Amino acid sequence: MSKKLLLKDAHIEGIRYFETYRKQGGYEAAEKALKMTPDEILEEVKASGLRGRGGAGFPTGMKWSFLAKPEGVPRHLVVNADESEPGTFKDRYLMEFLPHLLIEGMLISSYCLGSNTSYIYIRGEYSWIPDILEEAIEEAKAAGFLGENILGTGFDLEIYVQRGGGAYICGEETALLESLEGKRGNPRLKPPFPAVKGLWERPTVVNNVESIAAIVPIMDITGAEYAKIGVGRSTGTKLISACGNINKPGVYEIDMTITVEEFIYSEEYCGGIPNGKKLKACIPGGSSVPIVPANLLLKTINGEPRYMNYESLADGGFATGTMMGSGGFIVLDEDQCIVEHTMTLARFYNHESCGQCTPCREGTGWMYKILKKIENGQGKMEDIDLLWDIQRKIEGNTICPLGDAAAWPVAAAIRHFRDEFEWHIKNPELSQTQNYGLANY
Ligand code: NAI
Ligand code: SF4
């Protein structure tokens, strides 16, 4: 059984409220941290090996150490709670059931980074959660863990919750900052990174909800102990939101040593695939990461089992691997149509493109139209090569990663499931009447 660090108290009734959270040892990590120097906390975070849980997996300690500290300029911590990646709903779970874990993590992180005003930017569609967070903020303030001179240390901290307007692109960190400043959420060119020029051009650390929540157990057990959990550079635990064709969808905490097969089929996690269906493919890290067919999902190309961690999932690069991403684990059974699935994603990225760069603005629209044509039985064989060509021209040629995120699912679908595209083209009548693909994977 995987070790639980973040969700260990999630089952306790009333854990969302300060009193219960405190009884379970809540805010003890903050008490410990506030007796340390910011540099000592930073060393613990670096030692933990924690990697950003939003999707990119960038080392958190390294990001914090990049934070510029010019004299007299305020710094900020911004928590990215704009969780919108299709298939990803782990941060929602944390905020809804364990809001104090996030607030405590923000207190420790803000103290370490020297932020006296920190923000939570939350996805607009999570309309009921800001009230939960604001209530937790008020409770923490009443107990002396927020506000002025926290625990007599002289450190002040205010936390504000900002609701997003429902645009996926505002989860990209620089678009988020633009939106937080009250502007249209258009991504900025990087560099400069937010650590140097972020919110109102001030040094800013933008971290995912789960990354900040993980700071609490790191302070609790020390960075060195946290680094012993997991494997290699995949240290600590990771939340996985599992959905699609599985018996037990939900949010699971894993320690990144289990295999993909165990995760899908064991009763502790997804509980297998309904109706005895076969596994066809999976997208293990949210819709932006490449889809992988079952044969490459359960084993790497070298015949090794594939594990639920950053390195193993990426094994073989994009040709045979995928990415841990945000941990949005989407399972597709043998009845699912890859062309339809890819078309749905293409429509999503086309709709969510901010329109700043031509390859993304135009390319996502083209890909959607071509996929729709193929799905509806009106495609030609050369359309597959055209699709391939368009996705290649988008990848790496845009301001922000939405372009790559739109290109990768198309590339992976063609690479691994070309015969399904061809089947739609060769069987136009069936293609129009049967909304499913081949069942031989
Ligand atoms: P990125 O790799 O550009 O950056 C990762 C983080 O490291 C950023 O905070 C960046 O500012 C920082 N960083 C990188 N190099 C730096 C440097 N030299 N100096 C200072 N800071 C530096 O990736 P990005 O754009 O932040 O995230 C992309 C990922 O987000 C995708 O791979 C996808 O998996 C994920 N994603 C997650 C979503 C969700 O709902 N959780 C939604 C959409 C995408
Ligand atoms: Fe906007 Fe797409 Fe360019 Fe990102 S890649 S800045 S979403 S047009």
Side-chain angles (χ1 to χ4, degrees), residues 51-58 83 85-91 168 208 210-211 234 237-241 254 256 283-290 307-314 318 321-329 405 408:
R51 293 169 67 174
R53 303 300 198 218
F58 194 83
E83 182 177 55
E85 181 82 332
T88 313
F89 45 92
K90 62 180 179 80
D91 295 338
Y168 171 74
N208 170 257
E210 185 188 345
S211 310
S234 298
T237 63
K238 174 85 190 86
L239 296 185
I240 305 288
S241 56
I254 62 159
M256 295 195 267
I283 302 140
S287 63
S288 304
V289 311
Y307 292 93
M308 296 281 291
N309 64 48
Y310 292 93
E311 288 76 27
S312 186
L313 284 171
F318 286 168
T322 177
M323 286 161 81
M324 185 77 164
S326 58
F329 196 89
W408 291 341

Side-chain angles (χ1 to χ4, degrees), residues 158-374:
E158 294 294 338
I159 295 178
Y160 297 100
V161 181
Q162 175 64 47
R163 295 155 170 85
Y168 171 74
I169 195 57
C170 288
E172 194 285 327
E173 60 177 1
T174 59
L176 184 156
L177 296 175
E178 288 283 302
S179 174
L180 198 50
E181 290 178 8
K183 295 181 257 173
R184 184 189 157 109
N186 280 355
R188 302 172 183 167
L189 273 171
K190 293 193 283 189
F193 289 95
V196 175
K197 219 173 178 186
L199 189 62
W200 298 298
E201 304 205 344
R202 297 168 180 169
T204 304
V205 162
V206 184
N207 271 143
N208 170 257
V209 170
E210 185 188 345
S211 310
I212 293 299
I215 299 300
V216 176
I218 289 170
M219 292 315 299
D220 242 343
I221 64 173
T222 76
E225 285 303 309
Y226 185 88
K228 285 183 192 161
I229 304 163
V231 60
R233 290 184 60 233
S234 298
T235 62
T237 63
K238 174 85 190 86
L239 296 185
I240 305 288
S241 56
C243 61
N245 301 120
I246 47 172
N247 282 316
K248 291 167 59 190
V251 177
Y252 298 100
E253 185 169 11
I254 62 159
D255 67 13
M256 295 195 267
T257 58
I258 61 167
T259 63
V260 172
E261 188 162 6
E262 191 183 344
F263 184 69
I264 295 175
Y265 290 101
S266 84
E267 276 309 308
E268 192 186 343
Y269 303 107
C270 303
I273 298 174
N275 308 317
K277 296 281 178 191
K278 279 196 263 171
L279 176 68
K280 183 180 207 172
C282 177
I283 302 140
S287 63
S288 304
V289 311
I291 189 168
V292 194
N295 59 333
L296 289 172
L297 187 65
L298 303 180
K299 286 195 177 7
T300 65
I301 200 130
N302 298 320
E304 292 287 312
R306 208 177 278 276
Y307 292 93
M308 296 281 291
N309 64 48
Y310 292 93
E311 288 76 27
S312 186
L313 284 171
D315 192 85
F318 286 168
T320 59
T322 177
M323 286 161 81
M324 185 77 164
S326 58
F329 196 89
I330 308 167
V331 177
L332 281 76
D333 74 15
E334 59 188 316
D335 287 349
Q336 304 309 317
C337 170
I338 299 295
V339 176
E340 186 192 7
H341 166 83
T342 313
M343 178 194 76
T344 307
L345 286 185
R347 183 175 53 200
F348 171 78
Y349 288 113
N350 178 229
H351 180 70
E352 298 297 341
S353 166
C354 83
Q356 274 194 109
C357 0
T358 310
C360 172
R361 184 188 60 239
E362 302 299 325
T364 54
W366 279 15
M367 291 198 301
Y368 170 49
K369 280 183 203 153
I370 296 168
L371 282 159
K372 200 167 146 192
K373 232 171 85 178
I374 298 175

